[in-house]
Amino acid sequence: MSGSPVVTVLPAAGSGARLGAGMPKAFVEIGGVPMLVRAVDGVLASGVVDHVVVVVPVELVRDAAGLLPGRPVTVVPGGADRTASVAAGLAATGPEAEVVLVHDAARPLTPAGVVRRVVGAVRAGAAAVIPVLPVTDTVKTVDEAGIVTATVDRSTLRAVQTPQGFRGRELRLAYARGPDPVTDDAGLIEALGAPVATVAGDPLAFKVTTVWDLRIAELLLADVPAHPAGGVRSTG
Ligand code: CTP
Ligand code: MG
């Protein structure tokens, strides 16, 4: 750990409607460990994050804190959508957080290397940094009837993951302007006219959205040795 404080805001207050597990998604276990615990430990295992603000449904603040003993975390209640939850987490970071990461609890297998690349790029001067992967499928646009209207040039497309990294000042400014819930965090910085840099993402940073994704995560855990903090190793 060196330099100015790095704080991660971890939105974990969603309901997980598409997963349909009967509980908020971040509390669903993968290999016996709740996703939010894996996500927190993965971020801390990077060695470049000082503190994590975990944002959960209001009725689960105590439960979440109980799942995270001994970690440098603050648990706060979230809002009706992800943007409101990130805003609540950001408000709890304090002005001394010079680098702020925003990272979905729903990406529990994110390798420490992705976190280090994002923080490294912010420290190197970028106002906003996102981890990305090339798009491998052919992508087409269609009309209302499902008829293809165009084939998109995939060479300029990137799929975006988290953690997204920011100079704290810029992110607080973007949220102070009243964020648009359909725009991701980096999109808010784009709207301010600042460049958003990219670093290499990692397939292991995929988001658990559906039962299929949960199954894939379970299979990957069986395949990849656990590291002491409870995450998984990767080449990153
Ligand atoms: N999130 C949040 N507060 C909300 C909605 C979402 O903190 N009101 C968080 C989720 O907990 C998740 C991340 O944002 O870690 C990404 O959202 P998503 O994958 O859509 O999770 P859910 O909203 O929980 O899932 P669904 O959309 O299927 O209900
Ligand atoms: Mg959602």
Side-chain angles (χ1 to χ4, degrees), residues 22-180:
M23 70 171 89
K25 183 164 74 180
F27 292 78
V28 173
E29 293 183 353
I30 297 176
V33 179
M35 271 191 242
L36 83 89
V37 177
R38 288 192 180 278
V40 167
D41 286 345
V43 161
L44 293 174
S46 71
V48 296
V49 171
D50 301 284
H51 195 86
V52 183
V53 177
V54 183
V55 189
V56 300
V58 63
E59 67 280 8
L60 292 172
V61 168
R62 255 170 193 277
D63 295 39
L67 288 170
L68 297 163
R71 278 92 158 174
V73 301
T74 306
V75 184
V76 300
D81 56 32
R82 185 182 181 279
T83 304
S85 292
V86 173
L90 195 57
T93 60
E96 69 282 0
E98 286 185 24
V99 179
V100 176
L101 307 187
V102 181
H103 182 44
D104 294 327
R107 299 180 187 272
L109 305 189
T110 302
V114 178
V115 182
R116 286 195 284 265
R117 286 196 284 279
V118 170
V119 171
V122 178
R123 289 222 185 278
V129 180
I130 59 176
V132 299
L133 290 177
V135 174
T136 52
D137 285 323
T138 297
V139 176
K140 293 183 188 290
T141 56
V142 296
D143 65 17
E144 308 82 60
I147 302 298
V148 170
T149 51
T151 301
V152 178
D153 173 14
R154 154 181 103 202
S155 67
T156 62
L157 296 180
R158 298 291 181 273
V160 179
Q161 303 182 317
T162 74
Q164 299 191 356
F166 305 92
R167 287 204 293 260
R169 198 182 151 276
E170 266 85 352
L171 190 61
R172 284 189 286 272
L173 195 65
Y175 268 81
R177 285 164 55 114
D180 169 4

Side-chain angles (χ1 to χ4, degrees), residues 145-231:
I147 302 298
V148 170
T149 51
T151 301
V152 178
D153 173 14
R154 154 181 103 202
S155 67
T156 62
L157 296 180
R158 298 291 181 273
V160 179
Q161 303 182 317
T162 74
Q164 299 191 356
F166 305 92
R167 287 204 293 260
R169 198 182 151 276
E170 266 85 352
L171 190 61
R172 284 189 286 272
L173 195 65
Y175 268 81
R177 285 164 55 114
D180 169 4
V182 300
T183 306
D184 73 342
D185 302 301
L188 301 175
I189 302 297
E190 287 169 56
L192 288 176
V196 175
T198 63
V199 296
D202 190 301
L204 281 172
F206 74 102
K207 185 158 74 73
V208 174
T209 305
T210 62
V211 170
W212 168 270
D213 302 320
L214 189 65
R215 182 78 186 119
I216 299 288
E218 295 271 7
L219 291 169
L220 285 167
L221 272 184
D223 200 40
V224 186
H227 69 55

